[in-house]
Amino acid sequence: MPTRIVMADDHKMFAVGIANILKREPDFEIVAVHNSGKQVLSELERQYADLLITDMNMPGMDGIGLIQQLKKQKSKLKIIVLSMYDDEEIFKQCIKQGVDAYVLKNADPDELVYTIREVMENRHIADFQRVLYQAEESPYEELDAYKLKFKLSRREIEILKYFAKGMSNREVAEKLNLSIHTIETHRKHIHSKLKVSNTSELIKKAIDMGLG
């Protein structure tokens, strides 16, 4: 069953853009996109969702108010805050309220995809330094041409480095503390972007990219 996601953000264009990115993932389903906490609560009365992705600033009921209301209802809904604030105190406040993860809006969208899967697998560890790292420019500056050409995300490059060392899906999953299903999904995306069909071709391409 796909992960059913509700989004809340007062910037509709941004929210719809993120929703369209998430829709590309076969294991994600966007239930609704709203611009206020009250709309989200009404939506959740009508239909089931697994995950809420919410901004902090919204008219009427803001992100914290929405989170507090859901916690009062003892909702089992997973919650990810998608915020513009790289402030550790705000991060701590969100985690204290029971948020499962915190991602900055200027992070690579693939970091959000990666975090969603971690949260749904109960493997995510909330850490402010990691939040900042996700929003940093790619450390693989020498690979910019390849990243542009093949549209590889930083996370996919990280995983590809492990494949280049000959590691199996299971070994990479254990290394990154993720499920095999998540790594298999990443691997399919990498194969598609690099236009390779088997492991030997994948390793050769990774070595050509300087990852071996």
Side-chain angles (χ1 to χ4, degrees):
M1 294 290 290
T3 298
R4 291 172 58 82
I5 302 170
V6 172
M7 296 188 62
D9 195 298
D10 64 337
H11 291 91
K12 189 172 182 179
M13 188 177 294
F14 173 82
V16 170
I18 294 297
N20 286 336
I21 290 172
L22 299 182
K23 284 178 183 177
R24 299 172 191 166
E25 305 299 318
D27 52 336
F28 295 165
E29 178 184 345
I30 304 300
V31 174
V33 179
H34 294 297
N35 63 7
S36 77
K38 288 184 178 179
Q39 289 178 347
V40 170
L41 292 177
S42 295
E43 183 71 46
L44 294 175
E45 288 177 358
R46 293 193 297 270
Q47 57 182 326
Y48 172 80
D50 301 294
L51 173 70
L52 167 67
I53 300 176
T54 183
D55 190 11
M56 299 293 289
N57 289 326
M58 292 183 290
M61 181 183 291
D62 63 11
I64 289 295
L66 173 58
I67 293 163
Q68 290 174 336
Q69 188 61 36
L70 289 169
K71 294 302 178 181
K72 283 181 183 177
Q73 297 174 359
K74 300 189 184 303
S75 170
K76 294 182 179 179
L77 189 74
K78 301 285 190 181
I79 302 173
I80 295 176
V81 167
L82 188 56
S83 174
M84 63 182 288
Y85 300 116
D86 57 352
D87 185 302
E88 189 168 10
E89 289 306 312
I90 295 176
F91 165 80
K92 288 179 178 178
Q93 182 183 8
C94 289
I95 299 304
K96 186 177 180 180
Q97 294 294 336
V99 165
D100 296 282
Y102 190 99
V103 178
L104 293 175
K105 286 187 173 182
N106 60 338
D108 189 310
D110 193 60
E111 296 291 342
L112 177 60
V113 172
Y114 192 86
T115 300
I116 290 171
R117 293 203 172 104
E118 282 189 327
V119 166
M120 296 313 299
E121 294 167 7
N122 296 313
R123 295 171 180 266
H124 183 75
I125 298 174
D127 178 78
F128 186 65
Q129 292 307 311
R130 178 178 175 180
V131 170
L132 297 178
Y133 168 78
Q134 288 181 320
E136 287 178 355
E137 291 296 320
S138 172
Y140 305 108
E141 293 182 4
E142 72 278 11
L143 297 175
D144 280 352
Y146 290 101
K147 183 175 179 181
L148 179 65
K149 183 176 181 180
F150 299 115
K151 295 184 174 62
L152 287 177
S153 70
R154 178 172 61 182
R155 187 65 68 178
E156 288 168 339
I157 291 173
E158 178 185 27
I159 291 171
L160 181 57
K161 286 179 69 176
Y162 291 122
F163 289 145
K165 296 176 181 177
M167 294 175 69
S168 66
N169 289 351
R170 181 175 296 279
E171 288 171 330
V172 176
E174 291 175 354
K175 181 77 173 179
L176 297 177
N177 196 29
L178 290 170
S179 72
I180 288 184
H181 171 72
T182 293
I183 296 302
E184 287 175 344
T185 300
H186 277 295
R187 186 164 191 150
K188 287 178 182 177
H189 289 173
I190 294 169
H191 273 241
S192 177
K193 290 180 179 181
L194 297 182
K195 293 181 170 52
V196 298
S197 57
N198 55 51
T199 300
S200 61
E201 290 179 2
L202 181 68
I203 292 176
K204 183 179 184 303
K205 181 72 72 171
I207 291 173
D208 289 343
M209 292 171 65
L211 295 174

